[in-house]
Amino acid sequence: MTKQLRFVALFVILAFVLALVPAAFAQDGTFGLSDEDFALLTDANANSSAAETLAYNFNLALNVTGIEDAEVSADISGTGVLGLSGSPVFSMVTTGSATSNGDTTPTELEVRLVGDMIYWNVGEGWQGSAVEDAMSGAMGSAGNLPINPADLMSGDMGDMGDMGGMMGDLATLDLSSYVGLERLDDMDGAAHFNLSVDVAGLLASEELSGIFGMALGGAMGGGSDMSPEQAAQMGQMFGMMFGDATFEVDQYVNLETELVQRTVLSINLPLESLMGTPGAAVDLMFDISLSSYNEPISVEVPENVEMAEIGG
């Protein structure tokens, strides 16, 4: 198995799991919770999403081990505010460091979004760009993806060939078989909910294995030559490699305000079977706390901004 294929498989797996977990809540059922607890969790997320302003702080820890030329660790903290009332505003300031193959680099970054302009400073002075230009530059590589994001967003699968037909299988995918929810002991006046995903079972499922295999083949340049049966076999093969993988989301809901006050994403992907290296794994923890809902905030346009050329 080539090193490139291993990396493609890893990132496709992360993308699929991250994309499908939110879809679980669009299906009927409570995934193991009581009706009352499920209503509390879903209402809290809806209330938090509807807030016009909030403040946040987060910690990110990442460790990639056992992968040749890709040993990475990062420990990053950040804080900022978000406002969606009227003209949108956003700010983020990060501190910490990242180490890649033994070389450590500070991860000091400041970002501000004011209206339709975004500004950033990595310690070398402020730069700015229109948000539209920045987004166009970020999405410029979409043409290399095996699935066109625009097709997925519009629901138009007509030009996706076998992949389009496979996407229809997702309508029959019962995520309750692979996603579990439970309420744990309350903590400091907050209800503690835990969501877990059966990664291996999900990837190897009849409905998803073909899409997963076709996405892998497409990313490697051979997706168009694969039959649906071959794609499904490839997806199931890779899915079985992640029997010990864990994907969990912990949320803490303030019982008085019914708002989410903290969310923790934890991912562990053992990669020994995929990489052939003992101890190879990806560990990710993202812990974000939310506060000051619907309170006044201010984000200023920085001084001495140099406009960046993006996208040409």
Side-chain angles (χ1 to χ4, degrees):
M1 184 186 303
T2 68
K3 182 178 179 181
Q4 182 184 9
L5 179 56
R6 292 167 179 169
F7 279 109
V8 168
L10 174 59
F11 286 111
V12 170
I13 288 165
L14 289 173
F16 267 111
V17 176
L18 288 170
L20 287 173
V21 168
F25 289 93
Q27 295 191 346
D28 294 331
T30 63
F31 300 92
L33 287 180
S34 67
D35 290 341
E36 181 181 10
D37 284 340
F38 188 75
L40 173 61
L41 178 61
T42 53
D43 288 349
N45 277 276
N47 294 340
S48 301
S49 299
E52 294 186 347
T53 65
L54 60 83
Y56 67 89
N57 62 78
F58 70 85
N59 294 286
L60 169 69
L62 171 68
N63 284 286
V64 180
T65 57
I67 302 177
E68 184 180 357
D69 299 327
E71 296 276 350
V72 176
S73 64
D75 188 358
I76 302 170
S77 299
T79 185
V81 297
L82 171 66
L84 297 175
S85 176
S87 181
V89 295
F90 169 81
S91 72
M92 180 177 68
V93 179
T94 68
T95 59
S97 63
T99 301
S100 176
N101 298 318
D103 296 326
T104 300
T105 304
T107 55
E108 296 181 359
L109 168 69
E110 186 168 359
V111 178
R112 300 182 192 179
L113 173 70
V114 183
D116 61 356
M117 296 295 297
I118 186 168
Y119 309 94
W120 62 92
N121 187 344
V122 294
E124 300 176 351
W126 283 99
Q127 291 185 285
S129 168
V131 173
E132 183 178 358
D133 293 340
M135 290 296 294
S136 296
M139 294 298 293
S141 61
N144 297 325
L145 297 176
I147 303 174
N148 187 336
D151 289 337
L152 294 181
M153 294 176 67
S154 67
D156 179 10
M157 308 298 178
D159 295 328
M160 297 178 68
D162 289 331
M163 177 72 82
M166 291 178 185
M167 292 300 292
D169 292 339
L170 290 181
T172 64
L173 177 62
D174 180 11
L175 288 174
S176 64
S177 301
Y178 310 103
V179 177
L181 272 172
E182 61 178 328
R183 181 171 176 176
L184 306 179
D185 292 338
D186 292 357
M187 183 179 297
D188 298 327
H192 179 191
F193 295 93
N194 174 267
L195 177 150
S196 59
V197 179
D198 176 6
V199 178
L202 183 62
L203 295 176
S205 66
E206 181 179 350
E207 297 87 352
L208 193 59
S209 59
I211 301 170
F212 179 40
M214 190 68 75
L216 287 172
M220 295 302 298
S224 61
D225 298 327
M226 298 176 64
S227 68
E229 293 75 18
Q230 290 172 324
Q233 290 175 356
M234 184 176 186
Q236 290 171 357
M237 178 187 71
F238 275 98
M240 295 300 292
M241 293 182 178
F242 293 90
D244 296 325
T246 59
F247 182 105
E248 297 188 2
V249 179
D250 288 274
Q251 284 200 309
Y252 301 82
V253 174
N254 187 303
L255 291 171
E256 293 184 359
T257 63
E258 293 194 0
L259 292 166
V260 176
Q261 65 182 38
R262 182 185 176 201
T263 298
V264 183
L265 169 66
S266 304
I267 299 174
N268 173 256
L269 295 178
L271 302 177
E272 292 188 8
S273 298
L274 186 63
M275 298 295 174
T277 304
V282 173
D283 287 289
L284 171 69
M285 186 280 295
F286 180 72
D287 184 344
I288 185 168
S289 296
L290 307 172
S291 61
S292 302
Y293 284 97
N294 295 317
E295 295 185 6
I297 62 173
S298 176
V299 179
E300 303 294 334
V301 175
E303 297 180 355
N304 301 320
V305 177
E306 179 180 346
M307 301 308 295
E309 296 288 339
I310 297 179

